[in-house]
Amino acid sequence: MRDQVHWRLFIRCRFTNVIRGGGLQMTPCSYDVVIAGGGLGGAALGRALAGAGAHTLIVERETLFKDRVRGEGIFPWGVVEASTLGIERLLLDDGAHVVPFWKKYTGPGHMDCRDLAATTPAHTACLNFFHPAMQRTLLDAAEASGAIVLRGAEVVGVEPGDVPGKAPVAEIRTNEGKHWAKARLVVGADGRRSVVRRTAGFSLNQDAGRLIVAGVLCEGLDAPEDAIHHFQCPALGQTALIYPIGRQRFRTYFVSRVGQLARPISGNGHIGEFVDACVDTGVPRDWFEHARVIGPLASYPGADSWVDHPCNGGVVLIGDAAAASDPAWGGGLSLTLRDVRVLLHRLLAGDDWEAAAHAYAFEHDRYYGALHRVHDWLAQLLYERGKIADERRARVLPCLAMEPDRMPDIRGMGPEAPSDETARRRFFVEDGILPRAERGTA
Ligand SMILES: Cc1cc2nc3c(=O)[nH]c(=O)nc-3n(C[C@H](O)[C@H](O)[C@H](O)COP(=O)(O)OP(=O)(O)OC[C@H]3O[C@@H](n4cnc5c(N)ncnc54)[C@H](O)[C@@H]3O)c2cc1C
């Protein structure tokens, strides 16, 4: 019913243009903002802009959201962003699961439990949810705020406003044919394979694939639901992560190096292999004893891809379209919310949206760059193989165990965690300073 209402709105807009005599293809509908993609980024931004009075169109390809292996845990620093945007409450009301602890297991009998609220700057925990439920809730909220949401429609191209005064235009395909929508700003929130990014002419940077992330949703795992369980085995170059998302459901990931396994673990016929890999990494086998698989098992490349300065000609990219961070480190949702908050605040601060979008893009380069640097250090430390990498691990891991604050706190502080050269040298124990415990016994 709701979809029909919005189709009518869209059609009415089309009609107006025809009546004015321009013809549908010559006179696109006009909006303040057209957003391609109704994922976390597009829906959260669309909701806020529409709520602030902007004439907002969100175009979302899917009509029904189904389970794909995607991020389902917002880190404590991202929860601050969610709260600022006013969506934390919406997610909680929809059954999002607050996870107060982070448990890191580094070998038999070695478990470190972090109380997140007690140890993070804003005293926040992790917030986990089922991704399709989150998308549905936020898109519904965007509609309730006054955004027009076209579901089952696709942005197939964008023409930037590449001369001053020319507005960008999005080409939209629906089951009725093609439509054009003009806007002060077109936002590409259409994920890691962004069509907006490609057709608006942004160049994509891509790291070499270093890791593979396999994931699946299980029900009834015998693991406590108050913690994210993080099993790290640097000797094998493997990690397993278990994110409880509420009601005894657990998103379970296995991370390994490219080339370590004969082939990525994908397809539900390979569940046994997936469980064995997690158990090799330290997950107790009996946790899986009564577990039931309730989603697809799929593998994804663990590598970053990003655009420098994601703004041009009235087109701006947010979320994975701007920078898809390596899913092995789990910061993508939080980064997406940072994008939404920064862009939104810039847009609401004045009338010059072109300048506001560029200011966002400058800021994006800084904070995404900081996360990217730290992720790279972690990948070097935990996954690289060979003599130099082994020596590095032998030097660094015992120091990190004694002085955890050598590790930039990217879960608690996000990009505000120190990531300059001093921080790098401290992390890799190249600062010539022995750990406090060793100094004490020297
Ligand atoms: C395997 C894996 C595990 C991950 N784990 C984590 C994690 O633990 N924690 C974390 O924080 N992050 C994680 N992430 C990353 C996280 O899922 C993303 O960063 C986040 O979903 C990005 O949100 P988005 O809104 O930018 O894009 P998306 O979530 O990709 O949403 C894009 C939306 O746009 C729609 N769309 C696409 N193209 C078009 C088009 N042309 N026209 C109209 N609509 C379109 C899509 O249907 C979709 O709804 C993981 C990612 C992967 C791949």
Side-chain angles (χ1 to χ4, degrees), residues 37 40-41 59-61 70-71 135 155 190 253 300 319-320 330 332-333:
L40 176 69
V59 184
E60 167 53 48
R61 188 166 52 196
R70 281 289 175 276
Q135 263 191 280
V155 172
D190 51 344
Y253 297 110
Y300 293 83
D320 277 11
L333 296 169

Side-chain angles (χ1 to χ4, degrees), residues 36-42 59-62 65 68-74 131 135 153-156 189-192 195 213 243 253 300 318-321 327 330-334 336:
L40 176 69
V59 184
E60 167 53 48
R61 188 166 52 196
E62 307 290 335
F65 298 114
R68 297 175 301 152
V69 183
R70 281 289 175 276
E72 298 187 317
I74 304 182
H131 198 104
Q135 263 191 280
E154 205 175 354
V155 172
V156 292
D190 51 344
R192 52 180 48 226
V195 168
V213 182
Y243 282 71
Y253 297 110
Y300 293 83
I318 62 167
D320 277 11
L333 296 169
S334 304
T336 298

Side-chain angles (χ1 to χ4, degrees), residues 75-208:
F75 285 160
W77 72 274
V79 171
V80 179
E81 305 290 359
S83 161
T84 308
L85 289 166
I87 60 170
E88 185 193 8
R89 187 72 261 157
L90 286 175
L91 295 173
L92 284 168
D93 288 348
D94 191 46
H97 182 64
V98 177
V99 183
F101 301 110
W102 188 285
K103 289 185 179 168
K104 189 158 139 192
Y105 307 77
T106 46
H110 289 276
M111 190 272 280
D112 170 59
C113 178
R114 178 176 181 186
D115 179 337
L116 293 165
T119 58
T120 50
H123 307 293
T124 41
C126 283
L127 187 65
N128 294 3
F129 43 69
F130 182 46
H131 198 104
M134 173 277 290
Q135 263 191 280
R136 206 172 41 240
T137 299
L138 294 190
L139 260 191
D140 286 352
E143 270 182 328
S145 294
I148 298 173
V149 179
L150 283 182
R151 300 171 200 242
E154 205 175 354
V155 172
V156 292
V158 172
E159 195 185 312
D162 40 17
V163 291
K166 182 176 168 236
V169 177
E171 185 179 339
I172 299 165
R173 188 166 54 212
T174 69
N175 55 13
E176 287 195 329
K178 280 192 179 168
H179 311 273
W180 281 263
K182 188 160 81 174
R184 290 175 70 190
L185 193 68
V186 171
V187 179
D190 51 344
R192 52 180 48 226
R193 296 205 176 82
S194 172
V195 168
V196 173
R197 183 177 64 211
R198 181 171 47 78
T199 56
F202 290 96
S203 4
L204 185 66
N205 304 289
Q206 175 94 47
D207 278 342

Side-chain angles (χ1 to χ4, degrees), residues 203-250:
S203 4
L204 185 66
N205 304 289
Q206 175 94 47
D207 278 342
R210 210 164 7 190
L211 306 176
I212 300 274
V213 182
V216 70
L217 187 61
C218 301
E219 192 175 48
L221 212 72
D222 198 6
E225 288 185 275
D226 63 351
I228 289 170
H229 304 279
H230 177 183
F231 295 83
Q232 203 166 66
C233 185
L236 293 177
Q238 294 179 182
T239 300
L241 285 149
I242 297 174
Y243 282 71
I245 63 166
R247 295 194 281 121
Q248 273 294 304
R249 294 166 302 167
F250 299 83

